[in-house]
Amino acid sequence: MIPDIYNLQFVPFRSDDALLSVIGRVDVASTADGVVLRVDCAKAAANSVGGLHGGALSTLFDVALHAAAREGLQGEALTISLDVKFMRSGELSSPLHIFAHVLRAGRTLATCSASTFQNGRVIAHATGQFMKLQ
C-alpha cells in the first residue's frame, strides 16, 4: 500500500545524475516506512509505442530501492540483484509514485521491495538485494 502521497514533503532528488535527468524530474520524500519517489517522466522515457519504457522504470526502481537500502543498512550500498515485474503499461502523461521499503536488513545485506503507482493503480513491482559497502 502506498503512503498518503498528498501529505508528503517532496524535495528534488540528485540533480547530478545524468540518466535520471533524461528520464524526467525526480523528487523524493521519506516516510516512517521507507522512501517515495515522485517522477514526472520526460518524452525521452518513452518506448516504441509511446508508453513508459521498461528500462526507464527499472532504473527508477533501482534508485528507489537503493535509497531504502541505504537507510536500512545505515550506509552506502551496492545493488547485487534486481527483479522487476511489469503489471500494466505506464503513461508519460501522469506522475509515477514509487514506494520502496526494507523487508529485512542485516549487518551487510538488505532486501527491499518497491511498487510503482500511477493514477492510484499498481503498474509494477520490484525487489532488490543490496550489499553494504565497507
Side-chain angles (χ1 to χ4, degrees):
M1 181 152 91
I2 190 169
D4 182 5
I5 58 173
Y6 301 105
N7 291 317
L8 296 176
Q9 298 296 318
F10 286 95
V11 296
F13 183 81
R14 292 200 44 207
S15 61
D16 64 334
D17 191 308
L19 180 56
L20 288 182
S21 67
V22 170
I23 293 172
R25 177 186 168 93
V26 181
D27 297 320
V28 64
S30 291
T31 72
D33 297 320
V35 298
V36 179
L37 295 186
R38 181 186 187 280
V39 184
D40 294 311
C41 294
K43 289 181 182 179
N47 61 20
S48 62
V49 295
L52 178 62
H53 193 288
L57 184 53
S58 295
T59 297
L60 293 167
F61 269 132
D62 190 38
V63 168
L65 290 163
H66 179 260
R70 286 181 60 182
E71 289 186 14
L73 293 170
Q74 299 177 355
E76 191 53 63
L78 179 69
T79 306
I80 57 174
S81 73
L82 178 66
D83 182 41
V84 179
K85 304 290 186 203
F86 301 101
M87 297 176 202
R88 61 178 39 96
S89 297
E91 306 167 3
L92 299 183
S93 59
S94 299
L96 303 173
H97 291 90
I98 304 169
F99 173 56
H101 62 282
V102 176
L103 295 173
R104 183 181 186 287
R107 289 182 303 119
T108 59
L109 290 176
T111 301
C112 302
S113 177
S115 293
T116 297
F117 296 82
Q118 191 171 50
N119 300 320
R121 297 171 65 179
V122 176
I123 65 167
H125 181 77
T127 56
Q129 275 197 311
F130 298 82
M131 180 177 65
K132 184 174 184 175
L133 295 178
Q134 302 300 330

